[in-house]
């Protein structure tokens, strides 16, 4: 997508130096556009853990580049295999919920196995990371194409009026390599002249909605309004939401969807108001080993300080202020699970399906 008319991805190899990975450092958005250079596996782990980059598909691709950096580092050690496997173990611990992380690490372990020398393993992991990045772009584009008719049908029912879509967190291009999962159809509908308006959940505590989704929609010229996380139900009761689309960090084979904390409450409100609720689910976010999302998906707990403090920019500086009583404890669950029964459909790169094992297996027969 474009930033001030210049096309960007969220992660790429530095031109002229393939040992350096560059990313958009999302901690500074929307106020500053900062590019960070990543030189080592440890720097990539910090970038993922401390959310310089975030969003399940991007975490996956960043992990793939992390394993490429790990291969470069392992080639200087006596025991390549031991060093590479230790890197995988460390990287997997960076963030627990998005299954894309372990999925990408696994792809890189398989790729490295095919190399006979350290040089070959480096080449193979480099190529695999690039391939996963390109595949993510194509998958997001395709998910948007498959979801576009949802917008076309609503637009037909209310000629001249905007299709109001509500989204939670940032499942936009900043959370992927390009396009986004939940936002892909929004961009494609907007580009084809369908009037679209997006209700952007603020998404406390880290404000991925108000800081990232609002920024990227604004860059693309898509009309949007930021709302507090608790406003969605009210808007739905008053027919101001036509459609909800969210992303996912891990979806079970039975169609339970883990996504940013608060997604479940949006699904309940949508269900109560008979509003279609879709999750955009690239296959890299499906955990085929899990069936019961509520019991089985690991939910990340982050620092309580993300809840107790509020961050923002003033006078060109990032500020962090305490908003809660100094001694009150806080808890910070990063994700929740929306059970399949509340979900209208899953948007995948192979089409839209019902949120159940049979329907998912029809689209991905090789996994069943
Ligand atoms: O904690 P984050 O910002 O990594 O959480 C991101 C989300 O919950 C997204 O909705 C999800 O990763 C899907 S991104 C296409």
């Amino acid at each position: 997508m474009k930033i001030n008319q210049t096309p960007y991805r969220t992660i790429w190899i530095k031109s002229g130096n393939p040992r350096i990975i560059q990313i958009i450092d999302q901690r500074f958005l929307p106020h500053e556009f900062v590019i960070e250079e990543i030189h080592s596996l440890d720097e990539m782990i910090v970038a993922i853990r401390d959310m310089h980059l975030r969003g399940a598909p991007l975490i996956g691709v960043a992990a793939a580049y992390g394993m490429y950096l790990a291969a470069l580092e392992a080639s200087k050690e006596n025991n390549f295999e031991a060093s590479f496997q230790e890197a995988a173990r460390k990287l997997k611990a960076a963030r627990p919920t998005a299954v894309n992380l372990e999925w990408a690490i696994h792809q890189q372990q398989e790729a490295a196995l095919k190399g006979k020398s350290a040089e070959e393993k480096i080449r193979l992991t480099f190529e695999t990371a690039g391939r996963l990045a390109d595949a993510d772009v194509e998958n997001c584009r395709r998910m948007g194409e498959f979801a576009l008719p949802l917008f076309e049908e609503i637009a037909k029912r209310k000629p001249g009026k905007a299709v109001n879509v509500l989204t939670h967190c940032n499942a936009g291009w900043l959370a992927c390599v390009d396009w986004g999962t939940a936002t892909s159809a929004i961009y494609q509908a907007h580009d084809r002249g369908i009037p679209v308006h997006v209700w952007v959940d603020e998404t406390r505590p880290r404000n991925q909605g108000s800081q990232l989704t609002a920024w990227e929609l604004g860059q693309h010229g898509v009309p949007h309004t930021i709302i507090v996380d608790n406003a969605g139900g009210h808007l739905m009761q008053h027919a101001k939401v036509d459609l909800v689309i969210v992303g996912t960090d891990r979806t079970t084979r039975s169609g339970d969807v883990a996504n940013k904390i608060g997604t479940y409450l949006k699904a309940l409100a949508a269900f109560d108001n008979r509003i279609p609720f879709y999750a955009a689910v690239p296959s890299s976010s499906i955990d085929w080993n899990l069936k019961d999302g509520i019991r089985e998906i690991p939910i990340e707990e982050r620092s309580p300080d993300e809840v107790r403090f509020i961050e923002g920019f003033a006078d060109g500086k990032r500020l962090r202020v305490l908003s809660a009583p100094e001694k009150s404890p806080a808890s910070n669950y990063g994700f929740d699970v929306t059970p399949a029964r509340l979900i209208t459909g899953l948007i995948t790169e192979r089409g839209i399906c019902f949120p159940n094992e049979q329907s998912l297996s029809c689209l991905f027969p090789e996994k069943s």
Side-chain angles (χ1 to χ4, degrees):
M1 305 299 284
K2 289 186 180 152
I3 299 172
N4 298 330
Q5 307 314 317
T6 308
Y8 275 94
R9 284 184 171 190
T10 51
I11 188 165
W12 62 93
I13 300 276
K14 183 172 180 166
S15 146
N17 189 344
R19 290 170 172 257
I20 297 177
I21 313 301
Q22 293 185 305
I23 62 165
I24 298 173
D25 189 339
Q26 301 184 22
R27 292 171 303 166
F28 296 93
L29 291 173
H31 305 288
E32 280 178 56
F33 183 71
V34 175
I35 291 175
E36 181 181 4
E37 297 201 336
I38 305 218
H39 310 85
S40 66
L41 170 72
D42 284 345
E43 285 180 11
M44 188 62 91
I45 291 174
V46 170
I48 294 173
R49 189 194 60 212
D50 296 348
M51 295 175 67
H52 307 191
L53 58 86
R54 25 65 52 208
L58 178 55
I59 289 171
V61 173
Y65 278 115
M67 289 304 285
Y68 154 65
L69 294 173
L72 287 170
E73 290 164 22
S75 67
K76 294 183 198 125
E77 303 289 334
N78 292 333
N79 187 336
F80 183 100
E81 251 353 280
S83 166
F84 194 65
Q85 294 317 328
E86 174 58 10
R89 192 194 59 73
K90 275 172 31 186
L91 193 50
K92 263 186 206 164
R95 288 195 76 190
T97 301
V99 73
N100 307 57
L101 179 68
E102 35 191 278
W103 170 83
I105 293 170
H106 180 71
Q107 304 274 320
Q108 287 292 42
Q109 287 170 316
E110 299 266 289
L113 271 181
K114 294 190 189 118
K116 294 199 176 65
S117 62
E119 288 65 37
E120 239 185 304
K121 289 173 193 286
I122 290 168
R123 179 180 59 75
L124 287 164
T125 52
F126 178 80
E127 286 170 4
T128 302
R131 186 171 52 73
L132 295 187
D134 290 345
D136 188 67
V137 177
E138 177 58 10
N139 288 344
C140 284
R141 192 192 62 74
R142 289 173 68 90
M143 279 189 278
E145 246 173 37
F146 282 119
L148 193 58
L150 301 174
F151 287 74
E152 288 167 340
E153 277 159 34
I154 296 168
K156 231 185 266 166
R157 288 204 306 266
K158 44 189 294 202
K161 292 199 180 131
V163 176
N164 284 303
V165 51
L166 183 143
T167 192
H168 190 65
C169 193
N170 173 258
W173 73 270
L174 288 168
C176 305
V177 179
D178 208 344
W179 285 110
T181 58
T183 56
S184 181
I186 293 172
Y187 290 128
Q188 296 191 37
H190 174 83
D191 290 350
R192 285 174 201 209
I194 298 174
V196 183
H197 166 261
V198 186
W199 295 111
V200 178
D201 280 352
E202 178 187 30
T203 319
R204 278 280 293 148
R206 290 193 64 113
N207 298 320
Q208 290 94 328
S210 59
Q211 295 183 351
L212 304 177
T213 305
W215 180 76
E216 61 166 87
L217 291 172
Q219 285 288 327
H220 201 77
V222 179
H224 61 279
T225 307
I226 299 165
I227 50 174
V228 296
D229 291 325
N230 296 325
H234 169 77
L235 293 172
M236 290 181 204
Q237 285 174 327
H238 291 271
K240 290 181 189 290
V241 179
D242 297 305
L243 174 71
V244 181
I245 308 184
V246 299
T248 184
D249 290 84
R250 193 184 296 234
T251 289
T252 64
R253 67 175 188 275
S254 55
D256 292 343
V257 167
N259 191 48
K260 180 55 57 193
I261 192 82
T263 302
Y264 170 50
L265 294 179
K266 295 299 157 322
L268 280 174
F271 193 77
D272 192 42
N273 290 281
R274 295 184 181 78
I275 291 166
F277 182 100
Y278 285 87
V281 180
S283 57
S284 55
S285 297
I286 302 174
D287 189 336
W288 297 96
N289 296 315
L290 302 191
K291 187 165 177 144
D292 180 341
I294 294 172
R295 288 209 174 76
E296 295 177 316
I297 296 178
I299 299 296
E300 176 178 19
E301 284 184 62
R302 298 186 62 82
S303 164
D305 281 352
E306 290 183 354
V307 177
R308 298 171 65 244
F309 288 81
I310 289 179
E311 286 190 33
F313 266 69
D315 301 328
K317 278 197 214 122
R318 203 145 58 123
L319 294 183
R320 184 169 174 270
V321 293
L322 180 66
S323 87
E326 210 172 339
K327 293 205 169 112
S328 289
S331 75
N332 188 8
Y333 295 96
F335 301 91
D336 59 25
V337 174
T338 299
R341 69 186 160 79
L342 299 176
I343 298 169
T344 311
L346 305 178
I347 303 162
T348 79
E349 71 268 24
R350 293 197 190 164
I352 299 184
C353 70
F354 293 114
N356 61 45
E357 193 162 348
Q358 199 192 4
S359 193
L360 266 171
S361 307
C362 283
L363 288 184
F364 299 94
E366 74 278 17
K367 301 288 183 187
S368 59

